Amino acid sequence: MTAIQGPDERNLIPRWRAFGDAVRSGELDSARSKRREVSEDVGQRIAGFEEAKNAFIRSPGIHSSSDLLTQAVLGRHHLDGTTRTAAQHVLEVDAPAALKSLATKALADDSGSGQDENDLPSEFNLDATAHRIHHLRSILRREPLNAVRWTDLALAQVKLGSLVAAERSIRAAVQLQPNNRFVLRSAVRLYLLLDQPDMAHRVITKAPANLDDPWLRATALTTARISGVAGVSVRSSRRVLESGTHSPWHLSELASQVATLELDGGNVRRARQMMRTALVDPTENSLAQAEWAASHGLSAPATDASHRRVSFEANAISHKSAGRFAEGLEACLLWLADQPFDPSPAIFASYLASVGLEEYGIAERAASQGLIANPNDELLRNNLVFALANQGKTKEAREQIDRIIQPASGSRESITLMATEGLVRFKEGDAEGARSLYAAAVDRLVTLGQTDRAALANIFWAREEIRQGTRHASAIATNALALSRRASRHEVQLWSQRLVNDLERISSADPARDSHLR
Amino acid sequence: MITTNPAEDLENEVLPNGWTVTERIVPRPGDTGGNFSVNYWAVHSSGRRGFCKVLNYWWLLTSGAIGSDPLHALAEASRIYEFERDLARDCRSLSRVITTIEDGTLNRAGYLISMVHYIIFEVAEGDIRRVMDYSSDLDSAAKLRIVHNLASGLRQLHGIEVAHQDIKPSNTLVFPPHLGAERVTKVGDLGRATVLGRPADHDNFDVAGDRTYAPIDALYGSIPSEFAARRYACDLYQLGSMIAFVFTSVPINAYMTLELHPRHHWDNWHGTYQDVYPYVLDAYGRVLDRVSQEVPEGIREEITKLISCLCHPDVSQRGHAVTLRRSGNKYALDRIVTEIDLLSRRVRLFEKV
């Protein structure tokens, strides 16, 4: 049986993206609303531009063009005919690449064409990541004090599952820039992945001034909640939210995490108010948190601003809840491409691919990708086994299932695994062993009141019995259909219909066999 | 032409010491100085040409440019003139700085303001833009000599406790080869200079000179309080930027604009310099990489290293590594000048071979 994580808890764990992607997302913008004006003799700047134009008119060439374009671009002067001529001159002659870029920028700035900020994340690629590590290492040999690249190196290493090396790299970055938002939020993400929430909390709260930054304060609240330590006050965070010194965008994650904490404390009214603040100009992570909170009874109306950003996670959850599995999987794969080291999207994607769409190849790839950075995640490996077994890759499924460290008896994971083991046993020809495992799993799920999961496990079991044409098939199918009538999830209804179709197909193909099944 | 302003009526005037004012230079829009001074060509009886700058008292009094109180305006104008004159005199012995040949005062009877202050400067062939664009003989060795001259000029200024603060292509002036000697480059326009212990109006600006070429830390509003870090370090940054301009035709701030994400660009950043510094440093790494690709292979490493230390975005890291480790002036240019000199000699030898 394949599974997703329980939706009991969700925190505003920072996303971890490569520097360029993080910048484009806007999460590395300055949180201050007022800028310090730099005083200058403005006449000097204007005179410089005019002088550069005269010089170009007198003696047009590469260097006079460069000076003029530098003055135009950096001084934000409107491009007149002379400057445009200089830019075109540079583009037409054999000029250095940087100068051509400057000319292009001058013309683009003037026409108002900007950069595309909405690139979709590209699919994870092992070779490309390995190449990136090589490239980053060569940069860091030249620039050992570049904390940004140490952080990017750590991310690339995590993607390849080199967690020890990644921890070394992030430590170097934190040492160089112990107050930087990009570095610290990345470090927190890594330490949480390494299951070291205390370390994550220490890193972010080491300098008290870090809490002045709403993004870092939000992260500190998250690490405090996960590690169970006190130290970051919700009350002072509320004051930051109400101070009016930061724009809604910069407060979104803080408000979202405070809402989550208010929800913990049972203060639904205040939680709703905070979630509303979070959604004025939300980050995609806040949108995902709101989607999660909505499933916990905390609905806060999303403002129009929320539509400006896309949250792959929020979309995946909402599509799945509505039974739109193809769209859900598409969103989930983008979420996975965005956070390839995170087990959650890999688990979600493998589940949706298998259960929603019977796309076992996609499920296999998603689970395998998640396992690179999370080799001990039993749920991920379980989903991989399920995908392999359903593709007839029984030997590989057995190899994978043998690698799973047995979770605590009676846990959700152990029951899921029991059912999956049942599936593999069926494929291996051990129907008797498979049956007892499936029966035990279904019983326990029913006892725990997890009707949806029980129904799913029962349907999978019934399908295997039908495939093998056993005398138990009819009874088990009947039981599965009865259970599924009490279930609510779309995927259970989908599978129950598939089971009915299976039964009908067999019935029409071989009435004798059908009567046997009955 | 009848005029009430003697500064505008000096054509054919014979000055003391053999100089004659010849043609008035009509300012083009943007020519620095504006109406503050009236400029002429002058010629010496020896045939030497000079650039004659005459303080425009009449304009200062009537334009309200320095206040509406005429007495105050006069005093202020005199103070500005004296600052420039004294600074020019201080620099007279500096071989790599544009120097004054002559300064003085004339009394022109029949005018409301009879006093005329003037300064005659030496005349260059042109600035570096023109020379770089139109000279066919500029190999790496010649470019290194230009850079060496410029660094020497700044070292000379620093030696008399003057920070230039406005080094840019238009202020890097080139003199033609003369009597078998090679072309000489000099630092020009001391109009935005700061002299230690001698305050000037522009000292109060965060950016004293042309903002386009200002050090990146200043553009983000990070202004050191200490004189050397604020003023000399500015010259170092602009020297590094000029080295990039000479060898790649693009100054450092233009590279930085290309490499910094617009969200982190100084025009858009609202936070502190400390907050943005890691991103600036990262962009700077890419800038150096780009610069090195444009520099000729034989001197690539040395030139990139020079620019790297001179334009470092952290002002406390700016300058020669050895000088930074020693006590004394962290921004001393001696080692930089020596390194460029050695490099230029090595390249010259190599090119001859």
Side-chain angles (χ1 to χ4, degrees), chain A residues 401-440:
Chain A
I401 210 164
D402 287 346
R403 290 178 64 183
I404 296 178
I405 302 158
Q406 283 301 320
S409 171
S411 65
R412 289 165 57 106
E413 288 80 9
S414 73
I415 302 170
T416 304
L417 197 59
M418 201 183 282
T420 306
E421 170 93 44
L423 172 67
V424 176
R425 291 275 182 100
F426 263 124
K427 303 289 182 190
E428 288 172 335
D430 177 11
E432 208 50 46
R435 198 166 294 126
S436 69
L437 283 165
Y438 259 128

Side-chain angles (χ1 to χ4, degrees), chain A residues 79-374:
Chain A
L79 243 64
D80 58 6
T82 308
T83 318
R84 200 176 294 278
T85 306
Q88 275 151 4
H89 171 71
V90 163
L91 293 174
E92 282 161 12
V93 300
D94 181 24
L99 185 53
K100 284 188 183 284
S101 304
L102 188 66
T104 307
K105 182 172 173 52
L107 295 170
D109 284 357
D110 197 50
S111 67
S113 58
Q115 288 173 281
D116 181 11
E117 299 264 318
N118 295 314
D119 288 344
L120 292 177
S122 48
E123 204 180 330
F124 173 73
N125 179 301
L126 266 177
D127 289 342
T129 308
H131 180 74
R132 178 149 176 79
I133 287 179
H134 177 73
H135 177 63
L136 286 165
R137 281 194 185 288
S138 76
I139 290 176
L140 284 164
R141 267 194 293 278
R142 288 196 313 266
E143 304 167 37
L145 304 181
N146 189 337
V148 166
R149 293 304 151 196
W150 278 113
T151 309
D152 273 359
L153 176 63
L155 176 60
Q157 288 165 328
V158 161
K159 286 179 182 175
L160 285 192
S162 309
L163 301 181
V164 176
E167 205 266 336
R168 264 200 309 270
S169 302
I170 207 74
R171 221 181 311 135
V174 171
Q175 208 165 353
L176 288 165
Q177 294 296 335
N179 311 105
N180 179 264
R181 192 190 298 162
F182 173 64
V183 171
L184 291 185
R185 280 164 57 89
S186 304
V188 162
R189 187 65 193 89
L190 176 59
Y191 285 120
L192 291 179
L193 192 71
L194 296 171
D195 204 17
Q196 297 179 29
D198 291 349
M199 186 61 187
H201 190 64
R202 255 203 312 281
V203 159
I204 200 121
T205 52
K206 200 169 178 185
N210 287 348
L211 299 184
D212 294 343
D213 182 285
W215 296 81
L216 292 181
R217 178 176 277 271
T219 309
L221 282 173
T222 300
T223 55
R225 184 180 189 234
I226 295 171
S227 58
V229 297
V232 187
S233 129
V234 174
R235 188 180 293 177
S236 62
S237 301
R238 247 187 264 123
R239 275 202 300 275
V240 172
L241 288 166
E242 287 156 7
S243 67
T245 49
H246 305 290
S247 71
W249 161 253
H250 292 294
L251 294 176
S252 173
E253 296 206 356
L254 180 59
S256 191
Q257 185 60 18
V258 170
T260 308
L261 293 168
E262 297 286 10
L263 202 59
D264 278 353
N267 196 335
V268 178
R269 192 183 60 81
R270 207 177 259 168
R272 187 170 290 123
Q273 183 193 341
M274 285 295 142
M275 197 52 92
R276 219 172 277 139
T277 304
L279 293 178
V280 172
D281 188 6
T283 67
E284 64 82 22
N285 205 354
S286 289
L287 280 174
Q289 189 75 359
E291 193 69 45
W292 169 84
S295 66
H296 284 68
L298 188 77
S299 55
T303 60
D304 285 347
S306 66
H307 302 301
R308 284 189 308 203
R309 290 187 183 88
V310 177
S311 172
F312 305 129
E313 181 183 352
N315 285 352
I317 295 169
S318 110
H319 285 312
K320 189 234 161 217
S321 302
R324 296 187 296 266
F325 298 117
E327 293 89 336
L329 178 61
E330 193 183 337
C332 213
L333 290 174
L334 287 166
W335 175 21
L336 181 61
D338 186 36
Q339 305 287 295
F341 54 85
D342 186 344
S344 300
I347 290 169
F348 210 111
S350 52
Y351 177 84
L352 279 182
S354 287
V355 174
L357 301 160
E358 291 187 275
E359 289 280 3
Y360 298 110
I362 295 175
E364 180 191 342
R365 282 198 296 280
S368 301
Q369 185 182 320
L371 280 165
I372 295 171
N374 305 277

Side-chain angles (χ1 to χ4, degrees), chain A residues 19 23-26 28-30 32-41 44-48 50-52 54-55 57-67 70-71 73-76 96-99 101-102 105 115 117 142-143 145-149 177 179-182, chain B residues 28-32 127-130 132-134 166 168-170 192 204-213 218-221 223 245-246 248-251 253-255 257-258 261-264 266-272 274-275 277-279 281-282 285-286 289-290 294:
Chain A
F19 178 65
V23 175
R24 276 190 291 279
S25 77
L28 301 184
D29 289 1
S30 170
R32 290 166 203 253
S33 51
K34 282 185 190 158
R35 58 174 279 122
R36 181 200 183 285
E37 288 304 324
V38 175
S39 63
E40 59 167 329
D41 184 346
Q44 189 80 1
R45 192 187 333 169
I46 296 165
E50 294 295 335
E51 192 282 331
N54 289 337
I57 291 165
R58 276 194 301 265
S59 320
I62 292 284
H63 289 81
S64 58
S65 301
S66 167
D67 184 37
T70 301
Q71 293 276 2
V73 172
L74 274 66
R76 291 182 155 189
L99 185 53
S101 304
L102 188 66
K105 182 172 173 52
Q115 288 173 281
E117 299 264 318
R142 288 196 313 266
E143 304 167 37
L145 304 181
N146 189 337
V148 166
R149 293 304 151 196
Q177 294 296 335
N179 311 105
N180 179 264
R181 192 190 298 162
F182 173 64
Chain B
R28 293 163 188 256
D31 276 354
T32 45
D127 67 53
I128 196 159
R129 294 167 295 189
R130 192 181 145 75
M132 298 289 302
D133 282 336
Y134 288 88
D166 201 20
K168 56 181 180 176
S170 62
R192 315 304 291 183
N204 295 324
F205 289 121
D206 290 331
V207 173
D210 186 343
R211 180 190 162 111
T212 312
Y213 291 89
L219 294 172
Y220 284 100
I223 313 295
F245 184 78
V246 168
T248 74
S249 76
V250 179
N253 284 354
Y255 278 110
T257 292
L258 292 173
H261 192 277
R263 291 171 183 275
H264 294 160
W266 53 86
D267 282 335
N268 306 322
W269 184 252
H270 285 204
T272 64
Q274 189 194 342
D275 289 344
Y277 176 74
Y279 316 143
L281 186 68
D282 178 55
R286 289 194 299 278
D289 196 33
R290 265 182 114 146
E294 303 288 352

Side-chain angles (χ1 to χ4, degrees), chain B residues 140-256:
Chain B
S140 290
K143 288 179 182 173
L144 280 164
R145 290 321 296 173
I146 288 173
V147 166
H148 178 254
N149 285 178
L150 188 57
S152 302
L154 286 173
R155 182 177 61 167
Q156 289 172 350
L157 282 172
H158 293 189
I160 58 167
E161 296 180 327
V162 175
H164 188 284
Q165 306 178 112
D166 201 20
I167 298 294
K168 56 181 180 176
S170 62
N171 288 340
T172 305
L173 304 173
V174 183
F175 290 76
H178 183 61
L179 297 174
E182 58 191 2
R183 173 186 287 117
V184 169
T185 304
K186 294 189 181 187
V187 176
D189 193 353
L190 295 169
R192 315 304 291 183
T194 291
V195 187
L196 182 63
R198 206 190 296 170
D201 281 359
H202 53 258
D203 287 355
N204 295 324
F205 289 121
D206 290 331
V207 173
D210 186 343
R211 180 190 162 111
T212 312
Y213 291 89
I216 194 156
D217 42 326
L219 294 172
Y220 284 100
S222 172
I223 313 295
S225 52
E226 197 234 334
F227 181 89
R230 179 169 178 183
R231 314 282 182 192
Y232 293 151
C234 169
D235 285 352
L236 264 63
Y237 186 90
Q238 292 177 335
L239 172 62
S241 181
M242 283 305 300
I243 297 176
F245 184 78
V246 168
F247 281 96
T248 74
S249 76
V250 179
I252 286 297
N253 284 354
Y255 278 110
M256 289 302 293

Side-chain angles (χ1 to χ4, degrees), chain B residues 46-106:
Chain B
S46 65
R48 186 181 186 186
R49 273 168 50 110
F51 172 83
C52 182
K53 188 173 175 181
V54 181
L55 186 66
N56 195 348
Y57 273 117
W58 182 257
W59 181 82
L60 285 167
L61 278 175
T62 53
S63 68
I66 36 181
S68 53
D69 176 6
L71 284 178
H72 173 257
L74 266 181
E76 200 60 12
S78 293
R79 202 174 59 75
I80 294 168
Y81 167 73
E82 280 161 18
F83 177 84
E84 188 164 2
R85 184 201 60 196
D86 293 348
L87 183 54
R89 281 181 183 171
D90 289 345
C91 297
R92 223 169 243 180
S93 60
L94 307 182
S95 61
R96 294 294 177 262
V97 179
I98 285 283
T99 53
T100 57
I101 306 167
E102 194 80 41
D103 64 70
T105 306
L106 285 177

